[in-house]
Amino acid sequence: MSNIETKTMHEKDMKKVSSQQRVGKFVAKFLVYAFLIIMAIIIIFPFYWMLISSVKSLDEYKLAIPTLWPKTILLSNYVEAFNQANLGTLFLNTMYVGLVSTLLSLVITVISAFAFARLEFKGKNALFAALLATMMIPGELFTITNYATVNTFGWMNSFVVLIVPFLVSVFYIYLLRQNFLQIPNELYLAAKVDGTSDIKYLWKVMIPLALPTLISITILKMMGAWNSYVWPRLVANDEAHQLITNGLRNAFTESTGDVNIPVQMAAVAIVSLPLFLVFVFLRKYIMKGVSRSGIKG
Amino acid sequence: MVESKHKWKAWLYLAPAIVLLLIFTVWPIINTIRMSLLENYSTMGFVGGARYEFGIGNFKQVLEYQNFLTCLKNTMLLCVLTVPISTFLALLIAVCLNAIKPLQRFLQTVFFLPYVTNSIAIGMVFAAMFNMVGTAFGTESELVITAGIINNVIEFFGGTAINWINAGSSYWANIAVLVIYTVWNALPFKILILLGGLQSVNKQYYDAAKVDGTRRVRVFTRITVPLLSPMLAYVVITGFIGGFKEYSNIVGIFGDDMGPTGDPGRLNTMVGFIYDALSNYQGRASAAALILFGIIFIVTMINLYVSKKKTHF
């Protein structure tokens, strides 16, 4: 009798404990979700504010109590922004610089990485280590001399000045070399025996196998052109060669005080759209490239 | 014979990269050191035939220059504030993301979104959010048309509006805005790295802790943080390097003036100082760039030293 009683007592306790645990777990889950969702809202809010402000009329934007959803959707802000900032020309300039520099950069990166990964020559490791060491130096240090150099070359205000100085990225060479090294050497030797040329082997075997890395490099390079600001402002600030970020900042020099914010936000939205599309469709490659690089753009 | 042919080929393949690196990377390194050690060097003067004496005057000048000290202070302040805040928040978010199943991928995507943005463009959005539209601040006839969405929210919760970035705003209000923007911008990369680290942690450690009935906080401090320490070290080091090179976030919000209207240059950073001196005072710019490199180098070494002692791998 007493034995049975203690047993049921024990079971009751167990039930109590487990239900307490369940409540605790539920509360913890709830807190985790609440925290994440609040943070997500904070992260998203600037994008939301940009979009709704970009379609408001100036009068509506200036209301003392802001509207969280626009009363009227004014798409003419976009037309005005496009014209005011001359976004068409800026877009074409940036695409041109981005495509040409990506293409040339890929060629240089592939053949350099191939040499470092597959060919044997004296001083290879020392040279590779020296290249890696330059990655530690902040880019600003190079800019001072490069500014004088491109001036001497007579490259000021041209597309060349926006493309050539940044064609070689030690980091991309490093990334691709690591990728090439994973491809077994036997394949290369077999191809040699068959009399396949290096270029053919590169094109038929190594490039397809390293394609994900090449796509990551392409995206990061294109984003770099889209987001570059400092160098273009220094060396190609004329209208014919201006890039998009620079043009955007120049067109709207005032960002505080009594300025037409809806039009500014429309311009910002136009500039952000391609990046957003790249993000939506190519997120995997960006994340892969980024997690290995630690550099923006 | 095949070998020697290969050697010749290897250098041919490397030629474009080496030529470009010699011109745009190696020569700048040598030249920066040279320029920094010639008193008051300027390229224009040099081309014009002027001779410069050897000395360390540029470094002395830079360090005595009030402007540079302001830049140094701003840069340090932003680093010291943004790196710990963003690392801590990123860690918290990554741990929470790792603990959930539904919505995980969706939220992960949302948290990565700020990464693929243009820091000048989104800086303008932040400026708009903090901007007060109105006239004659600080006078009797002060007229605020709209206080900006951030101030609207503050007022909604019963606070008073703050002049964040407009003419007459306080230094600390400016810094607060920059810290918020920089942290917002820095989070995605850190979350990505830390979440990647968490997902590769062996589940056995957690199962053992569960069996032992270890408390959540203890699991976090005794298992999660030590196992993540290599990734934490990585995001802290890259955070400091990025922080010391801070520039475009400030241009995004305050424009090329690097300060609120009426007080240009107040928020200038070390990189900004270098760019200001770059076209006319190359000696000074070079000295500043070398000082920046020295600081980054020392901070990285300290970080590596500390993380080697604290990391568990």
Side-chain angles (χ1 to χ4, degrees), chain A residues 33 36 43 46 49 61-62 64 66 111-112 121 131 136 138 140-141 144-146 198 227 229-230 233 245 249 255-258 261 268 275 279 290-291 294-296, chain B residues 10 13-14 17 21 24 27-28 31-32 102 112-116 118 120 125 128-129 131 133 145-146 152 165-166 184-185 189 245 247 251-253 256 275 285 293 297:
Chain A
Y33 272 104
L36 284 176
I43 294 288
W49 195 248
Y61 181 80
K62 282 182 173 176
I111 57 175
S112 309
F121 56 95
L131 288 192
M136 277 183 44
E140 291 71 27
L141 199 145
I144 306 165
T145 300
N146 287 344
D198 278 356
N227 291 337
Y229 173 75
V230 172
R233 190 189 57 150
T245 306
R249 189 69 269 189
S255 51
T256 63
D258 200 0
I261 291 199
V268 169
L275 290 170
F279 176 72
V290 168
S291 58
I295 40 173
K296 187 156 181 166
Chain B
Y13 290 159
L14 286 174
L21 283 170
F24 295 110
W27 164 239
N31 194 35
T32 305
F112 192 63
L113 203 53
Y115 188 84
V116 275
N118 182 315
I120 303 280
V125 178
M129 284 163 47
N131 182 32
V133 180
I145 299 168
T146 168
N152 292 148
I165 55 173
N166 293 84
W184 182 88
N185 228 329
F189 172 68
K245 299 206 285 185
Y247 179 69
V251 176
I253 292 181
D256 282 336
Y275 288 136
F293 172 60
F297 188 77

Coordinates of all heavy atoms in Angstrom, one line a residue, chain A residues 33 36 43 46 49 61-62 64 66 111-112 121 131 136 138 140-141 144-146 198 227 229-230 233 245 249 255-258 261 268 275 279 290-291 294-296, chain B residues 10 13-14 17 21 24 27-28 31-32 102 112-116 118 120 125 128-129 131 133 145-146 152 165-166 184-185 189 245 247 251-253 256 275 285 293 297:
Chain A
Y33 N 13.0 33.5 -30.4 CA 12.3 34.1 -31.6 C 12.1 35.5 -31.5 O 12.2 36.3 -32.4 CB 11.0 33.3 -31.8 CG 11.2 32.1 -32.7 CD1 11.2 30.8 -32.1 CD2 11.4 32.2 -34.0 CE1 11.4 29.7 -32.9 CE2 11.6 31.1 -34.8 CZ 11.6 29.8 -34.2 OH 11.8 28.7 -35.0
L36 N 15.3 37.4 -32.2 CA 15.7 37.4 -33.6 C 14.8 38.2 -34.5 O 15.2 38.9 -35.4 CB 15.6 35.9 -34.1 CG 16.8 35.0 -33.6 CD1 16.6 33.6 -34.1 CD2 18.1 35.6 -34.1
I43 N 17.2 45.4 -38.7 CA 18.1 45.2 -39.9 C 17.3 45.7 -41.2 O 17.9 46.3 -42.0 CB 18.5 43.8 -40.0 CG1 19.5 43.3 -38.9 CG2 19.2 43.5 -41.4 CD1 20.8 43.9 -38.9
P46 N 15.8 50.1 -42.4 CA 16.3 51.1 -43.3 C 15.9 50.9 -44.8 O 15.6 51.8 -45.5 CB 17.9 51.0 -43.2 CG 18.1 50.5 -41.8 CD 16.9 49.6 -41.6
W49 N 12.3 51.9 -45.0 CA 12.1 53.3 -44.9 C 12.6 54.0 -46.3 O 12.0 54.9 -46.7 CB 12.9 53.9 -43.8 CG 12.6 55.3 -43.4 CD1 13.3 56.4 -43.6 CD2 11.3 55.7 -42.9 NE1 12.6 57.5 -43.2 CE2 11.4 57.1 -42.8 CE3 10.1 55.1 -42.6 CZ2 10.3 57.9 -42.4 CZ3 9.0 55.8 -42.1 CH2 9.1 57.2 -42.0
Y61 N 6.2 63.5 -46.8 CA 7.4 63.1 -46.1 C 7.6 64.0 -44.9 O 8.1 63.6 -43.9 CB 8.6 63.2 -47.0 CG 9.9 62.7 -46.3 CD1 10.2 61.4 -46.1 CD2 10.7 63.7 -45.7 CE1 11.3 61.0 -45.4 CE2 11.8 63.3 -45.0 CZ 12.1 62.0 -44.9 OH 13.2 61.6 -44.1
K62 N 7.2 65.3 -45.1 CA 7.5 66.2 -44.0 C 6.5 66.3 -42.9 O 6.6 67.1 -42.0 CB 7.6 67.7 -44.6 CG 8.9 67.9 -45.3 CD 9.0 69.3 -45.8 CE 10.4 69.6 -46.4 NZ 10.3 71.0 -47.0
A64 N 4.6 65.9 -39.5 CA 5.2 65.7 -38.2 C 5.0 64.3 -37.6 O 5.8 63.8 -37.0 CB 4.6 66.8 -37.2
P66 N 4.8 60.8 -39.0 CA 5.1 60.1 -40.3 C 4.1 59.0 -40.6 O 3.5 58.4 -39.7 CB 6.5 59.6 -40.1 CG 6.6 59.3 -38.7 CD 5.8 60.4 -38.0
I111 N 45.6 32.4 -65.0 CA 47.0 32.0 -65.4 C 48.0 32.1 -64.3 O 48.9 31.2 -64.2 CB 47.5 32.7 -66.7 CG1 47.5 34.2 -66.5 CG2 46.6 32.3 -67.9 CD1 48.1 34.9 -67.7
S112 N 47.9 33.1 -63.4 CA 48.8 33.2 -62.3 C 48.6 32.0 -61.3 O 49.5 31.4 -60.9 CB 48.6 34.5 -61.6 OG 48.6 35.6 -62.4
F121 N 59.0 26.1 -60.6 CA 60.1 27.0 -61.0 C 60.8 27.5 -59.8 O 60.2 27.5 -58.7 CB 59.5 28.1 -61.9 CG 58.4 29.0 -61.2 CD1 58.7 30.1 -60.5 CD2 57.1 28.6 -61.3 CE1 57.7 30.9 -60.0 CE2 56.1 29.3 -60.7 CZ 56.4 30.4 -60.1
L131 N 53.9 37.7 -52.1 CA 52.6 38.2 -52.6 C 51.6 38.2 -51.4 O 50.9 39.2 -51.2 CB 52.0 37.3 -53.7 CG 52.7 37.4 -55.1 CD1 51.8 36.7 -56.1 CD2 52.9 38.8 -55.5
M136 N 48.7 42.3 -46.2 CA 48.6 42.9 -44.9 C 48.6 44.4 -44.9 O 48.2 45.1 -43.9 CB 49.8 42.4 -44.0 CG 49.6 41.1 -43.4 SD 51.0 40.7 -42.3 CE 51.2 42.3 -41.5
P138 N 47.6 48.1 -45.7 CA 46.3 48.8 -46.0 C 46.4 49.5 -47.4 O 47.4 50.1 -47.7 CB 46.1 49.8 -44.9 CG 47.5 50.0 -44.3 CD 48.2 48.7 -44.5
E140 N 45.4 52.1 -48.6 CA 45.6 53.6 -48.6 C 47.0 53.9 -48.9 O 47.4 54.9 -49.4 CB 45.1 54.2 -47.3 CG 43.6 54.2 -47.1 CD 43.1 52.8 -46.8 OE1 43.8 52.0 -46.3 OE2 41.9 52.6 -47.1
L141 N 47.9 53.0 -48.4 CA 49.3 53.2 -48.5 C 49.7 53.2 -50.0 O 50.6 54.0 -50.4 CB 50.1 52.1 -47.7 CG 51.5 52.4 -47.4 CD1 51.8 51.8 -46.0 CD2 52.4 51.8 -48.4
I144 N 48.6 56.7 -52.4 CA 49.3 57.9 -52.4 C 50.3 57.9 -53.6 O 50.2 58.8 -54.5 CB 50.2 58.1 -51.1 CG1 49.3 58.0 -49.9 CG2 50.9 59.4 -51.2 CD1 50.1 57.8 -48.6
T145 N 51.0 56.8 -53.8 CA 51.9 56.7 -54.9 C 51.2 56.5 -56.2 O 51.5 57.1 -57.3 CB 53.0 55.6 -54.7 OG1 53.7 55.9 -53.5 CG2 53.9 55.5 -55.9
N146 N 50.2 55.6 -56.2 CA 49.4 55.3 -57.4 C 48.8 56.6 -58.0 O 48.7 56.7 -59.2 CB 48.4 54.3 -57.2 CG 49.0 52.9 -57.0 OD1 50.2 52.7 -57.3 ND2 48.2 52.0 -56.4
D198 N 48.8 23.4 -72.3 CA 48.4 23.9 -71.0 C 47.1 24.7 -71.1 O 46.2 24.5 -70.3 CB 49.5 24.9 -70.5 CG 50.6 24.2 -69.9 OD1 50.5 23.0 -69.7 OD2 51.6 24.9 -69.5
N227 N 30.5 49.6 -56.0 CA 30.6 50.3 -54.7 C 31.8 51.1 -54.5 O 32.0 51.8 -53.5 CB 30.6 49.2 -53.5 CG 29.2 48.5 -53.4 OD1 28.2 49.1 -53.8 ND2 29.2 47.4 -52.8
Y229 N 34.3 54.0 -54.3 CA 34.1 55.4 -54.2 C 35.3 56.3 -54.1 O 35.4 57.3 -54.9 CB 33.3 55.7 -52.9 CG 33.1 57.1 -52.5 CD1 32.2 57.9 -53.2 CD2 33.8 57.7 -51.5 CE1 32.0 59.2 -52.9 CE2 33.6 59.0 -51.2 CZ 32.7 59.8 -51.9 OH 32.6 61.1 -51.6
V230 N 36.3 55.9 -53.3 CA 37.4 56.8 -53.0 C 38.3 57.0 -54.3 O 38.6 58.1 -54.7 CB 38.3 56.2 -51.9 CG1 39.5 57.0 -51.7 CG2 37.5 56.3 -50.6
R233 N 36.8 58.9 -57.2 CA 36.6 60.3 -56.8 C 37.9 61.1 -57.0 O 38.0 62.2 -57.4 CB 36.1 60.5 -55.4 CG 35.7 62.0 -55.1 CD 35.4 62.1 -53.6 NE 36.6 61.8 -52.8 CZ 36.9 62.3 -51.7 NH1 36.1 63.2 -51.2 NH2 38.0 62.0 -51.0
T245 N 28.5 55.2 -57.6 CA 28.5 55.6 -56.2 C 28.9 57.1 -56.0 O 28.3 57.9 -55.3 CB 29.4 54.8 -55.3 OG1 29.1 53.4 -55.6 CG2 29.3 55.1 -53.9
R249 N 26.7 60.4 -54.7 CA 27.1 61.3 -53.6 C 27.3 62.7 -54.2 O 26.9 63.7 -53.5 CB 28.5 60.8 -53.1 CG 29.0 61.4 -51.8 CD 28.2 61.2 -50.6 NE 27.1 62.1 -50.3 CZ 26.4 62.2 -49.2 NH1 26.5 61.3 -48.3 NH2 25.4 63.1 -49.1
S255 N 23.0 65.8 -47.2 CA 22.1 64.8 -46.8 C 21.5 65.2 -45.5 O 20.6 64.4 -45.0 CB 22.9 63.4 -46.6 OG 24.1 63.6 -45.8
T256 N 21.8 66.3 -44.9 CA 21.1 66.8 -43.7 C 20.5 68.1 -44.0 O 20.8 68.8 -45.0 CB 22.1 66.9 -42.6 OG1 23.0 68.0 -42.9 CG2 22.8 65.7 -42.2
G257 N 19.5 68.5 -43.2 CA 18.8 69.8 -43.4 C 17.6 69.6 -44.3 O 17.1 68.6 -44.4
D258 N 17.3 70.7 -44.9 CA 16.0 70.8 -45.6 C 16.2 70.4 -47.1 O 16.4 71.2 -48.0 CB 15.5 72.2 -45.6 CG 14.0 72.3 -45.9 OD1 13.4 71.2 -46.1 OD2 13.4 73.4 -45.8
I261 N 14.3 64.7 -49.6 CA 14.7 63.3 -49.3 C 14.0 62.3 -50.2 O 14.6 61.3 -50.6 CB 14.5 63.1 -47.8 CG1 15.5 64.0 -47.1 CG2 14.6 61.6 -47.4 CD1 15.9 63.6 -45.7
V268 N 18.8 56.4 -54.3 CA 19.4 55.3 -53.5 C 18.8 53.9 -53.8 O 19.5 52.9 -54.0 CB 19.3 55.6 -52.0 CG1 19.8 54.4 -51.2 CG2 20.2 56.8 -51.6
L275 N 22.2 45.4 -56.7 CA 22.9 44.6 -55.7 C 21.9 43.7 -55.1 O 22.2 42.5 -54.7 CB 23.4 45.6 -54.6 CG 24.6 46.5 -55.0 CD1 24.8 47.5 -53.9 CD2 25.8 45.6 -55.2
F279 N 22.0 39.6 -55.0 CA 21.9 39.0 -53.7 C 20.8 37.9 -53.8 O 21.0 36.7 -53.3 CB 21.5 40.0 -52.6 CG 21.2 39.4 -51.3 CD1 22.2 38.9 -50.5 CD2 19.9 39.3 -50.8 CE1 22.0 38.3 -49.3 CE2 19.7 38.7 -49.6 CZ 20.7 38.3 -48.8
V290 N 32.6 35.4 -49.5 CA 32.7 36.3 -48.4 C 33.3 35.6 -47.2 O 34.2 36.1 -46.5 CB 31.4 36.9 -48.0 CG1 31.5 37.6 -46.7 CG2 30.9 37.9 -49.1
S291 N 32.8 34.4 -46.9 CA 33.3 33.8 -45.7 C 34.8 33.4 -45.7 O 35.4 33.2 -44.7 CB 32.4 32.5 -45.4 OG 32.6 31.6 -46.5
G294 N 36.6 38.0 -46.0 CA 36.6 39.0 -45.0 C 36.8 40.4 -45.5 O 37.0 41.3 -44.8
I295 N 36.6 40.6 -46.8 CA 36.7 41.9 -47.3 C 35.4 42.3 -48.0 O 34.8 41.4 -48.6 CB 37.9 42.1 -48.3 CG1 38.0 40.9 -49.2 CG2 39.2 42.4 -47.5 CD1 39.0 41.1 -50.3
K296 N 35.1 43.5 -48.0 CA 33.9 44.0 -48.6 C 34.1 44.4 -50.0 O 34.9 45.3 -50.3 CB 33.3 45.1 -47.8 CG 31.9 45.5 -48.3 CD 31.1 46.1 -47.2 CE 29.7 46.4 -47.7 NZ 28.8 46.8 -46.7
Chain B
A10 N 56.2 29.3 -66.9 CA 55.7 29.8 -65.7 C 55.9 31.3 -65.6 O 54.9 32.0 -65.2 CB 56.4 29.1 -64.5
Y13 N 53.4 33.1 -67.8 CA 52.1 33.1 -67.2 C 52.0 34.2 -66.1 O 50.9 34.8 -65.9 CB 51.7 31.8 -66.6 CG 51.4 30.7 -67.7 CD1 51.5 29.3 -67.3 CD2 51.1 31.0 -69.0 CE1 51.3 28.4 -68.3 CE2 50.9 30.1 -69.9 CZ 51.0 28.7 -69.6 OH 50.8 27.8 -70.5
L14 N 53.1 34.3 -65.4 CA 53.0 35.2 -64.2 C 53.3 36.7 -64.6 O 53.1 37.6 -63.8 CB 54.0 34.8 -63.1 CG 53.6 33.5 -62.3 CD1 54.7 33.1 -61.4 CD2 52.3 33.9 -61.5
A17 N 50.7 39.6 -64.1 CA 50.5 39.9 -62.6 C 51.7 40.5 -62.0 O 51.6 41.5 -61.3 CB 50.2 38.6 -61.9
L21 N 51.9 44.2 -60.4 CA 52.2 44.3 -59.0 C 53.4 45.2 -58.7 O 53.5 45.9 -57.8 CB 52.4 42.9 -58.4 CG 51.1 42.1 -58.1 CD1 51.4 40.7 -57.8 CD2 50.3 42.8 -57.0
F24 N 52.1 48.9 -59.2 CA 51.0 49.4 -58.4 C 51.0 48.9 -56.9 O 50.2 49.2 -56.1 CB 49.6 49.1 -59.0 CG 49.4 49.8 -60.3 CD1 49.4 49.2 -61.5 CD2 49.3 51.2 -60.3 CE1 49.2 49.8 -62.7 CE2 49.1 51.9 -61.5 CZ 49.1 51.2 -62.7
W27 N 56.3 49.2 -56.0 CA 56.9 50.5 -56.1 C 56.2 51.5 -55.0 O 56.9 52.2 -54.3 CB 56.7 51.1 -57.5 CG 56.9 52.6 -57.6 CD1 56.0 53.4 -58.1 CD2 58.0 53.4 -57.2 NE1 56.4 54.7 -58.1 CE2 57.7 54.7 -57.5 CE3 59.2 53.1 -56.6 CZ2 58.5 55.8 -57.2 CZ3 60.1 54.2 -56.3 CH2 59.7 55.5 -56.6
P28 N 54.8 51.4 -54.9 CA 54.2 52.3 -53.8 C 54.8 52.0 -52.4 O 54.9 52.9 -51.6 CB 52.8 51.9 -53.9 CG 52.5 51.5 -55.3 CD 53.8 50.8 -55.7
N31 N 58.2 53.6 -52.4 CA 58.1 55.1 -52.5 C 57.5 55.7 -51.3 O 57.8 56.8 -50.9 CB 57.2 55.4 -53.8 CG 57.3 56.8 -54.2 OD1 58.3 57.5 -54.1 ND2 56.2 57.4 -54.7
T32 N 56.5 55.0 -50.7 CA 55.9 55.6 -49.5 C 57.0 55.8 -48.4 O 57.0 56.8 -47.7 CB 54.8 54.7 -48.9 OG1 53.9 54.4 -50.0 CG2 54.1 55.3 -47.8
P102 N 12.4 26.2 -37.6 CA 11.6 27.0 -38.5 C 12.1 28.4 -38.7 O 12.6 28.9 -37.7 CB 10.2 27.0 -37.9 CG 10.2 26.0 -36.7 CD 11.7 25.8 -36.4
F112 N 21.8 38.7 -43.6 CA 22.9 38.9 -44.5 C 22.7 40.1 -45.4 O 23.6 40.6 -46.0 CB 23.1 37.6 -45.3 CG 24.4 37.6 -46.1 CD1 25.6 37.7 -45.4 CD2 24.5 37.6 -47.4 CE1 26.8 37.7 -46.0 CE2 25.7 37.7 -48.1 CZ 26.8 37.7 -47.4
L113 N 21.5 40.5 -45.5 CA 21.1 41.6 -46.4 C 22.0 42.9 -46.4 O 22.4 43.3 -47.4 CB 19.6 41.9 -46.2 CG 18.9 42.6 -47.3 CD1 19.0 41.8 -48.6 CD2 17.4 42.7 -46.9
P114 N 22.3 43.4 -45.2 CA 23.1 44.6 -45.2 C 24.5 44.5 -45.9 O 25.1 45.4 -46.2 CB 23.3 45.0 -43.7 CG 22.2 44.3 -43.1 CD 21.9 43.1 -43.8
Y115 N 24.9 43.2 -46.0 CA 26.3 43.0 -46.6 C 26.3 43.5 -48.0 O 27.3 44.1 -48.4 CB 26.7 41.6 -46.5 CG 28.1 41.4 -46.9 CD1 29.1 41.6 -46.0 CD2 28.5 41.1 -48.2 CE1 30.4 41.5 -46.3 CE2 29.8 41.0 -48.6 CZ 30.8 41.2 -47.6 OH 32.1 41.1 -48.0
V116 N 25.3 43.2 -48.8 CA 25.3 43.5 -50.2 C 24.7 44.9 -50.4 O 23.8 45.1 -51.2 CB 24.6 42.5 -51.1 CG1 25.5 41.4 -51.4 CG2 23.3 42.0 -50.4
N118 N 25.5 49.3 -50.7 CA 26.5 50.3 -51.0 C 26.6 51.2 -49.8 O 25.6 51.8 -49.4 CB 26.0 51.0 -52.2 CG 26.9 52.0 -52.7 OD1 27.5 52.8 -52.0 ND2 27.1 52.0 -54.0
I120 N 27.8 54.1 -49.2 CA 27.5 55.5 -49.4 C 26.0 55.6 -49.5 O 25.4 56.5 -48.8 CB 28.2 56.0 -50.6 CG1 29.7 55.8 -50.6 CG2 27.8 57.5 -50.9 CD1 30.5 56.8 -49.8
V125 N 20.5 56.8 -46.5 CA 19.2 56.4 -45.9 C 19.3 56.6 -44.4 O 18.3 57.2 -43.8 CB 18.9 54.9 -46.2 CG1 17.6 54.5 -45.5 CG2 18.8 54.7 -47.7
A128 N 18.9 60.2 -43.7 CA 17.5 60.6 -43.8 C 16.7 60.2 -42.5 O 15.8 61.0 -42.1 CB 16.9 60.0 -45.0
M129 N 17.0 59.0 -42.0 CA 16.3 58.6 -40.8 C 16.6 59.4 -39.5 O 15.7 59.6 -38.7 CB 16.6 57.1 -40.5 CG 15.9 56.2 -41.4 SD 16.6 54.5 -41.4 CE 16.7 54.1 -39.7
N131 N 17.7 62.6 -39.8 CA 17.7 64.0 -40.2 C 16.5 64.8 -39.6 O 15.4 64.3 -39.7 CB 17.7 64.1 -41.7 CG 17.8 65.5 -42.2 OD1 18.3 66.4 -41.5 ND2 17.1 65.8 -43.3
V133 N 14.2 68.0 -40.4 CA 14.0 69.0 -41.4 C 13.4 70.2 -40.7 O 12.4 70.1 -40.0 CB 13.0 68.5 -42.5 CG1 12.7 69.5 -43.5 CG2 13.5 67.2 -43.1
I145 N 10.1 71.0 -38.9 CA 9.0 70.5 -39.7 C 8.8 69.0 -39.5 O 7.7 68.6 -39.1 CB 9.3 70.8 -41.2 CG1 9.4 72.3 -41.4 CG2 8.1 70.3 -42.0 CD1 9.9 72.7 -42.7
T146 N 9.8 68.3 -39.6 CA 9.7 66.9 -39.2 C 11.0 66.5 -38.5 O 12.1 66.9 -38.9 CB 9.5 65.9 -40.4 OG1 9.7 64.6 -39.9 CG2 10.4 66.1 -41.5
N152 N 10.9 60.5 -34.1 CA 9.5 60.2 -34.0 C 9.3 59.0 -33.0 O 8.4 59.0 -32.2 CB 8.8 59.9 -35.3 CG 8.8 61.1 -36.2 OD1 8.9 61.0 -37.4 ND2 8.6 62.3 -35.6
I165 N 22.4 64.8 -36.3 CA 23.4 65.0 -37.3 C 23.3 66.4 -38.0 O 24.2 66.7 -38.8 CB 23.3 63.9 -38.5 CG1 21.9 63.9 -39.1 CG2 23.7 62.6 -38.0 CD1 21.8 63.0 -40.3
N166 N 22.3 67.2 -37.6 CA 22.2 68.5 -38.3 C 23.2 69.5 -37.7 O 23.9 69.2 -36.8 CB 20.8 69.0 -38.1 CG 19.8 68.1 -38.8 OD1 19.3 67.1 -38.3 ND2 19.5 68.5 -40.0
W184 N 25.4 48.0 -37.8 CA 24.4 47.5 -38.7 C 25.1 46.9 -39.9 O 24.8 45.9 -40.4 CB 23.5 48.7 -39.1 CG 22.4 48.3 -40.0 CD1 21.1 47.8 -39.7 CD2 22.4 48.3 -41.5 NE1 20.4 47.6 -40.8 CE2 21.1 47.9 -41.9 CE3 23.3 48.7 -42.4 CZ2 20.8 47.8 -43.3 CZ3 23.0 48.7 -43.8 CH2 21.7 48.2 -44.2
N185 N 26.1 47.7 -40.4 CA 26.9 47.3 -41.5 C 27.8 46.1 -41.3 O 28.1 45.3 -42.2 CB 27.8 48.5 -42.0 CG 27.7 48.7 -43.4 OD1 27.5 47.8 -44.2 ND2 27.8 50.0 -43.8
F189 N 28.6 40.0 -41.9 CA 29.8 39.2 -42.1 C 30.1 38.4 -40.8 O 30.4 37.2 -40.9 CB 31.0 40.2 -42.4 CG 32.3 39.5 -42.4 CD1 32.6 38.6 -43.4 CD2 33.3 39.8 -41.4 CE1 33.8 37.9 -43.4 CE2 34.5 39.1 -41.4 CZ 34.8 38.2 -42.4
K245 N 40.3 51.5 -40.8 CA 40.3 52.1 -42.1 C 38.9 52.7 -42.4 O 38.6 53.0 -43.5 CB 40.5 51.0 -43.1 CG 41.9 50.4 -42.9 CD 42.5 49.8 -44.2 CE 41.9 48.5 -44.5 NZ 42.6 47.9 -45.7
Y247 N 36.0 55.0 -43.2 CA 36.0 56.2 -44.0 C 34.6 56.4 -44.7 O 33.9 57.4 -44.4 CB 37.1 56.3 -45.0 CG 37.1 57.5 -45.9 CD1 37.4 58.7 -45.4 CD2 36.8 57.4 -47.3 CE1 37.4 59.9 -46.2 CE2 36.8 58.5 -48.1 CZ 37.1 59.7 -47.5 OH 37.1 60.8 -48.3
V251 N 31.4 59.3 -44.9 CA 31.0 60.0 -46.1 C 29.5 59.8 -46.4 O 28.8 60.7 -46.8 CB 31.9 59.6 -47.3 CG1 31.5 60.3 -48.6 CG2 33.4 59.9 -47.0
G252 N 29.1 58.5 -46.3 CA 27.7 58.2 -46.6 C 26.7 59.1 -45.8 O 25.7 59.5 -46.3
I253 N 27.0 59.2 -44.5 CA 26.1 60.0 -43.6 C 26.4 61.5 -43.7 O 25.4 62.3 -43.8 CB 26.2 59.5 -42.2 CG1 25.6 58.1 -42.2 CG2 25.4 60.4 -41.3 CD1 25.5 57.4 -40.8
D256 N 31.3 64.5 -48.0 CA 32.7 64.7 -48.0 C 33.3 65.7 -47.0 O 34.4 65.7 -46.7 CB 33.1 65.3 -49.4 CG 33.1 64.2 -50.5 OD1 33.3 63.1 -50.1 OD2 33.0 64.6 -51.7
Y275 N 43.8 60.9 -47.3 CA 43.2 61.4 -48.6 C 43.3 62.9 -48.7 O 43.5 63.4 -49.8 CB 41.8 60.9 -48.7 CG 41.7 59.4 -49.0 CD1 40.8 58.6 -48.4 CD2 42.6 58.8 -49.9 CE1 40.7 57.2 -48.6 CE2 42.6 57.5 -50.1 CZ 41.6 56.7 -49.5 OH 41.6 55.4 -49.8
A285 N 51.3 62.6 -46.0 CA 50.3 61.5 -46.3 C 51.0 60.2 -46.1 O 50.5 59.2 -45.5 CB 49.7 61.6 -47.7
F293 N 49.5 51.8 -40.9 CA 50.0 50.5 -41.0 C 50.6 49.9 -39.7 O 50.3 48.8 -39.3 CB 51.0 50.4 -42.2 CG 51.7 49.0 -42.3 CD1 50.9 47.9 -42.6 CD2 53.0 48.9 -42.2 CE1 51.5 46.7 -42.7 CE2 53.6 47.6 -42.3 CZ 52.9 46.5 -42.6
F297 N 49.2 46.8 -37.7 CA 50.1 45.7 -37.5 C 50.2 45.3 -36.0 O 50.0 44.2 -35.6 CB 51.5 46.1 -38.0 CG 52.4 44.9 -38.0 CD1 52.4 44.0 -39.0 CD2 53.4 44.8 -37.0 CE1 53.3 42.9 -39.0 CE2 54.3 43.8 -37.0 CZ 54.2 42.8 -38.0

